[in-house]
Amino acid sequence: MKPLAAFLVLASGLLAQSPLTLWYKQPAKLWVEALPVGNGRMGAMVFGGVASERIQFNEATVWSGEPHDYAHKGAYQSLAKIRELLVEGKQKEAEDLAWREFMSDPPRQKAYQAFGDLILDFPEIDESKVTNYRRELDLDRAVATAQYDYQGVSYRREVFASYPAKAIVVHLTASQPGMLSFTARLKNAHGGTQAITSYESGIIGPVLTMSGQVENSAIRFQAQLNARLDPLPNHYRLTDHIEVFHVNSATFVLSGATNFKNFRDVTADPAIQNKANLTAIGSKNYDSLLKDHIADHQRLFHRVTIDLGTSPSAALPTDERIKAFAGGNDPQLIATLFQFGRYLMIGTSRPGGQPANLQGLWNESNNPAWDSKYTDNINTEMNYWPVEETNLSECQLPLFDALKELAISGAVTAKEHYNAGGWVLHHNFDLWRGTAPINASNHGIWQTGGAWLSTHLWEHYLFTGDKQFLKNTAYPLMKGAAEFFADTLVKDAKTGKLITGPSNSPEQGGLVMGPTMDRQIVRSLFGEVIAAARILNIDPAFRDKLTGLRAEIAPNQIGKFGQLQEWMEDVDDPKNQHRHMSHLWGVYPGSEITPYGTPDLFKAARQSLIFRGDAATGWSMGWKLNLWARFLDGEHAYKILQNLVTPASDGKPSHAGLFPNLFDAHPPFQIDGNFGATAGITEMLLQSDDPYATPTGPVQTGETAFVTLLPALPSAFATGKVTGLKARGAIDVSLSWKNGKLTEATLESKEAKTVKVRYAGKEVSLQLKPGKPQRLGPELN
Ligand code: FUC
């Protein structure tokens, strides 16, 4: 073997071992085998086909529908009667009345849509003669690659979605000159509109334009594909596609846009946007587009590294590793899954864009499951669970932009449905920021979506310490969410305590008064608004009012099976294995039920989780993983990981687990399971909630920080290292451990700070000096 060839073999062997590579020996047949790239606005799924390559793409504002106010005018007139019926135990009557008088107008929201496909056809290739095929996704560079040999020539394709270039870039090369001949075409996911070709001044190479409109919708879109060929003249022909003959290399730049400006305005011009994007790229060549893209991606991605150990399984292709995981030893795959979640976050949620929907921004269908919208009784929130602790804080900004809009439409819903101030969001929203109750009255009327999402504003402050953000963005939204409940909490007829209602414990038990989850969320929100107002030194009267109300909210209760009650009444069924575990909110993501602050409730909550069992849908396993980590049980958390990392489709009907491309399966694919997994793996290694917190005590403010190191380390991760995680209190944390024991922890804060560090049941108090990393070593063992 020649030295270069030997080096390449060695290099590809090493690549296969990288925890940052997903790789396969065959092209994708199914969408859930294709590999995702995304720039926070556009996403694409790369199939890596040989005779025909399919790059299915999306843009985050291609939705059905139009600006619309969903509030049901005058719905509040039925509110008292619905509550009265519930208090009288007439649930069915209450639900019937609510269905007639209290639902969103109309009772359904709109759906995220597919956009189109870029198809590259290579009619001259005989696939049976192709050798050395390999397809991969490099998480470190955020590039999807397919390569193969054919008749003595090596072909290679690279695809990435660039945030700086606002476009998807596809690059084709061959190892010998003049060997690339193919056609490129665009396929419209909304039929009826033709791809036409035009020449654009200021843009190098021909441009293929595809325009259209989502059926029965106000959304108009356009995609432009710019072909840059080497050499260019006389090497292509234009029809309604681009035919390319005998070039050395080809680069395509794909830009897509819609007329969406914001939830009330669809007057943008997609043609102007695309032209601006393509012109801005100007004469930049592929290498410089790639360089800018990698630098942008790595600025975020490189903040965290993780090593959980490796094993011989690491040499296998990713799809085979998923199959072998539960019965084998492959800790590195968990590191890959962890980083894949961070990769997906960077790909789907970047400043200026839409928040991650049920599928992030990757979607093949015009009729996706649950409309691929924003279900906020768990799914939207779970999407953002890993974002702060895995050091991608700015990726949460699109969610906060959406909250600003939801607070506007939610104020109308608060007025029309409850005759209340502030703002409210029920269990779903869409691009048009519908906030009223949808689908059915037994689960659509759930009041605490806005309140829960508002706790993310506070968490963002806790993790960043950004007081400007707290003052200008977070507090006004949090305050509005709290005002709604200050106006609408009612006294429970039996206990006289304050409860929400009508509402439900997602998504079971039907319409009720005062489900446990609502009470936990409102208590936390009030505590956070009180703390924020104190830090900002404002609103003393409102602070006092909330302090009074918070103390009166009906407390958590322990029921007859030793469980934490899901409702006001002790009606839990220990055999109930429903995917939602809403009453455990107070353990995670909330932190009002804690090991040292409320040991009895903590024990009851753990009992409830045991009753729910270990099997579940994708996101539900993500939640269980985080919960078992909060219950400080690494082995049980690992057991959930084993359930989560199983093949979701293996010739059998699809079930919860992972698809070959590591997308998490509810089923179908829902990205919350991926983000829940990344958050849960983090939670096994580092926790930063206050382990002494209680429901009615002060909430954590970050003034003193609490850090628990390796709280739920399973024996499967005996030796490892993680760097760059974030803890509440804006602290950077890196850890290494060996044979199950911590060897070193490094903590760093920009401000002077007291940190209570816990490890293996011991606690030490540290004084951090600004900008000075502090190391802890064996003294903790
Ligand atoms: C909630 C969940 C379902 C699914 C849907 C998108 O309704 O109960 O399991 O995740 O959201």
Side-chain angles (χ1 to χ4, degrees):
M1 208 183 276
K2 288 189 185 142
L4 179 64
F7 168 76
L8 287 176
V9 167
L10 185 71
S12 72
L14 286 177
L15 263 185
Q17 305 270 346
S18 162
L20 300 177
T21 308
L22 279 55
W23 74 280
Y24 307 84
K25 289 179 178 165
Q26 67 288 328
K29 288 198 184 77
L30 304 173
W31 190 82
V32 289
E33 294 166 359
L35 295 170
V37 296
N39 67 8
R41 205 173 53 81
M42 287 192 81
M45 296 294 284
V46 186
F47 282 66
V50 172
S52 183
E53 168 67 291
R54 177 178 178 213
I55 298 170
Q56 184 269 329
F57 60 91
N58 291 100
E59 201 276 350
T61 62
V62 180
W63 279 69
S64 61
E66 61 204 352
H68 178 74
D69 174 15
Y70 290 90
H72 186 133
K73 302 283 168 295
Y76 73 89
Q77 287 161 19
S78 305
L79 180 63
K81 184 72 192 166
I82 296 168
R83 283 176 174 160
E84 196 183 304
L85 289 167
L86 289 173
V87 172
E88 288 167 4
K90 297 176 180 161
Q91 189 187 54
K92 176 86 177 52
E93 283 96 321
E95 287 173 357
D96 288 348
L97 174 61
W99 172 249
R100 290 194 306 274
E101 304 293 343
F102 205 74
M103 302 305 288
S104 171
D105 178 15
R108 295 231 165 242
Q109 293 176 352
K110 298 300 177 181
Y112 185 44
Q113 302 286 296
F115 192 160
D117 291 355
L118 164 59
I119 309 273
L120 305 174
D121 285 319
F122 303 80
E124 284 157 24
I125 287 200
D126 174 357
E127 286 198 2
S128 67
K129 298 202 175 114
V130 163
T131 55
N132 294 329
Y133 180 89
R134 179 184 161 109
R135 166 173 82 92
E136 70 173 47
L137 178 64
D138 178 357
L139 304 180
D140 194 49
R141 296 159 70 241
V143 177
T145 309
Q147 61 190 59
Y148 54 86
D149 296 339
Y150 183 67
Q151 294 184 338
V153 182
S154 295
Y155 293 88
R156 188 175 163 86
R157 242 177 265 151
E158 297 185 342
V159 184
F160 60 86
S162 166
Y163 181 70
K166 302 185 178 144
I168 290 165
V169 180
V170 182
H171 185 60
L172 294 87
T173 52
S175 61
Q176 288 176 27
M179 291 306 291
L180 279 166
S181 297
F182 59 95
T183 62
R185 62 194 159 94
L186 292 174
K187 210 170 134 191
N188 192 325
H190 296 274
T193 49
Q194 279 290 318
I196 51 145
T197 308
S198 67
Y199 294 91
E200 297 281 348
S201 58
I203 296 167
I204 298 168
V207 174
L208 204 58
T209 302
M210 174 186 100
S211 338
Q213 181 157 12
V214 176
E215 299 78 352
N216 305 317
S217 155
I219 290 289
R220 288 185 297 105
F221 54 77
Q222 188 206 61
Q224 289 201 312
L225 181 71
N226 175 208
R228 293 139 173 260
L229 308 172
D230 169 33
L232 183 65
N234 307 322
H235 281 266
Y236 67 92
R237 188 166 62 211
L238 301 174
T239 52
D240 62 351
H241 51 265
I242 304 175
E243 287 177 42
V244 179
F245 313 103
H246 304 298
V247 296
N248 308 323
S249 72
T251 303
F252 291 93
V253 180
L254 177 67
S255 172
T258 74
N259 58 339
F260 180 83
K261 260 194 185 161
N262 63 52
F263 77 116
R264 293 192 287 204
D265 185 348
V266 287
T267 61
D269 185 341
I272 291 178
Q273 189 56 55
N274 287 329
K275 189 165 184 188
N277 293 349
L278 294 182
T279 319
I281 293 168
S283 59
K284 269 195 185 155
N285 64 16
Y286 176 71
D287 287 344
S288 90
L289 287 170
L290 179 64
K291 198 167 143 254
D292 291 353
H293 161 67
I294 292 175
D296 166 72
H297 175 73
Q298 293 186 343
R299 186 176 59 80
L300 298 164
F301 192 72
H302 278 183
R303 289 177 189 166
V304 174
T305 67
I306 189 167
D307 177 1
L308 298 176
T310 188
S311 67
S313 307
L316 297 173
T318 306
D319 43 354
E320 291 176 31
R321 289 172 75 177
I322 297 170
K323 286 183 197 154
F325 184 80
N329 166 32
D330 191 359
Q332 199 203 66
L333 187 59
I334 299 302
T336 310
L337 187 67
F338 168 90
Q339 290 289 28
F340 185 59
R342 297 184 65 245
Y343 169 88
L344 292 175
M345 180 61 73
I346 298 168
T348 187
S349 192
R350 297 293 294 272
Q354 293 297 316
N357 66 43
L358 284 177
Q359 297 179 103
L361 48 47
W362 295 278
N363 168 38
E364 192 187 18
S365 168
N366 292 332
N367 185 20
W370 294 287
D371 305 315
S372 196
K373 53 187 186 301
Y374 299 92
T375 305
D376 52 74
N377 63 11
I378 177 70
N379 317 86
T380 306
E381 290 87 353
M382 186 178 285
N383 282 356
Y384 288 95
W385 284 356
V387 73
E388 299 289 343
E389 55 202 14
T390 75
N391 216 333
L392 296 173
S393 193
E394 61 269 59
C395 292
Q396 195 161 204
L397 298 179
L399 179 68
F400 301 150
D401 288 342
L403 288 187
K404 287 179 198 159
E405 298 186 334
L406 290 164
I408 297 169
S409 77
V412 180
T413 301
K415 201 87 248 122
E416 293 296 343
H417 288 245
Y418 299 88
N419 198 20
W423 65 280
V424 64
L425 163 65
H426 294 85
H427 95 301
N428 267 272
F429 67 93
D430 61 3
L431 187 70
W432 313 108
R433 307 311 185 220
T435 50
I438 65 158
N439 292 358
S441 58
N442 64 352
H443 68 274
I445 303 174
W446 172 74
Q447 298 186 357
T448 38
W452 185 350
L453 286 168
S454 293
T455 68
H456 283 229
L457 295 158
W458 175 249
E459 290 270 306
H460 183 77
Y461 167 70
L462 282 185
F463 277 95
T464 59
D466 184 345
K467 287 216 170 72
Q468 284 307 311
F469 170 82
L470 183 67
K471 180 164 176 250
N472 300 328
T473 304
Y475 185 72
L477 294 167
M478 291 164 63
K479 183 181 175 188
E483 276 169 336
F484 171 80
F485 291 100
D487 280 1
T488 57
L489 288 176
V490 290
K491 275 196 177 167
D492 173 43
K494 283 200 189 122
T495 62
K497 291 288 182 186
L498 294 178
I499 55 173
T500 59
S503 194
N504 73 95
S505 191
E507 297 169 0
Q508 53 174 335
L511 198 61
V512 296
M513 296 298 289
T516 300
M517 176 191 233
D518 275 12
R519 285 150 31 217
Q520 293 173 345
I521 292 176
V522 175
R523 214 166 13 230
S524 294
L525 173 70
F526 281 7
E528 291 165 5
V529 174
I530 294 163
R534 180 182 61 73
I535 291 167
L536 298 172
N537 202 14
I538 49 175
D539 283 345
F542 189 57
R543 227 189 293 171
D544 288 348
K545 181 176 179 182
L546 292 190
T547 305
L549 292 173
R550 184 170 185 249
E552 285 304 307
I553 296 173
N556 293 303
Q557 303 170 87
I558 299 173
K560 58 178 177 286
F561 300 107
Q563 88 284 12
L564 183 72
Q565 280 183 211
E566 186 161 356
W567 293 276
M568 288 297 287
E569 314 289 330
D570 188 2
V571 292
D572 298 76
D573 173 0
K575 294 208 178 64
N576 177 4
Q577 300 213 326
H578 198 277
R579 60 194 179 281
H580 285 267
M581 297 149 288
S582 305
H583 50 318
L584 306 189
W585 190 94
V587 178
Y588 185 94
S591 52
E592 67 162 39
I593 298 177
T594 57
Y596 310 110
T598 61
D600 293 342
L601 290 172
F602 195 69
K603 196 167 151 231
R606 190 172 174 279
Q607 184 58 57
S608 291
L609 184 58
I610 291 170
F611 286 148
R612 280 297 206 265
D614 293 339
T617 60
W619 64 257
S620 183
M621 285 197 275
W623 198 353
K624 286 177 179 174
L625 181 64
N626 283 279
L627 284 167
W628 280 115
R630 279 280 170 102
F631 287 123
L632 310 172
D633 189 335
E635 296 310 325
H636 209 134
Y638 188 73
K639 200 169 157 209
I640 303 290
L641 267 178
Q642 284 177 309
N643 286 352
L644 195 150
V645 186
T646 48
S649 53
D650 197 10
K652 293 176 238 119
S654 188
H655 56 81
L658 296 179
F659 289 113
N661 62 2
L662 287 190
F663 270 177
D664 192 88
H666 179 288
F669 162 53
Q670 248 180 239
I671 207 162
D672 42 19
N674 286 101
F675 292 133
T678 296
I681 295 160
T682 314
E683 210 64 19
M684 292 165 83
L685 305 176
L686 173 71
Q687 294 179 18
S688 65
D689 59 304
D690 171 3
Y692 296 95
T694 63
T696 46
V699 298
Q700 175 172 10
T701 59
E703 284 152 9
T704 299
F706 304 87
V707 167
T708 308
L709 308 174
L710 305 179
L713 189 72
S715 54
F717 305 159
T719 297
K721 184 174 173 167
V722 62
T723 65
L725 294 178
K726 282 275 181 192
R728 291 173 183 80
I731 295 170
D732 288 281
V733 184
S734 297
L735 302 172
S736 30
W737 63 96
K738 204 171 169 188
N739 300 326
K741 292 226 164 22
L742 186 78
T743 47
E744 187 175 272
T746 310
L747 279 71
E748 186 175 349
S749 162
K750 288 205 175 69
E751 288 175 12
K753 183 141 306 194
T754 305
V755 193
K756 304 214 153 138
V757 183
R758 290 190 76 84
Y759 172 69
K762 275 187 252 161
E763 188 180 289
V764 295
S765 194
L766 268 190
Q767 299 299 326
L768 290 184
K769 299 206 179 74
K772 283 225 168 100
Q774 188 148 335
R775 284 189 180 77
L776 291 169
E779 70 267 23
L780 281 173
N781 275 298

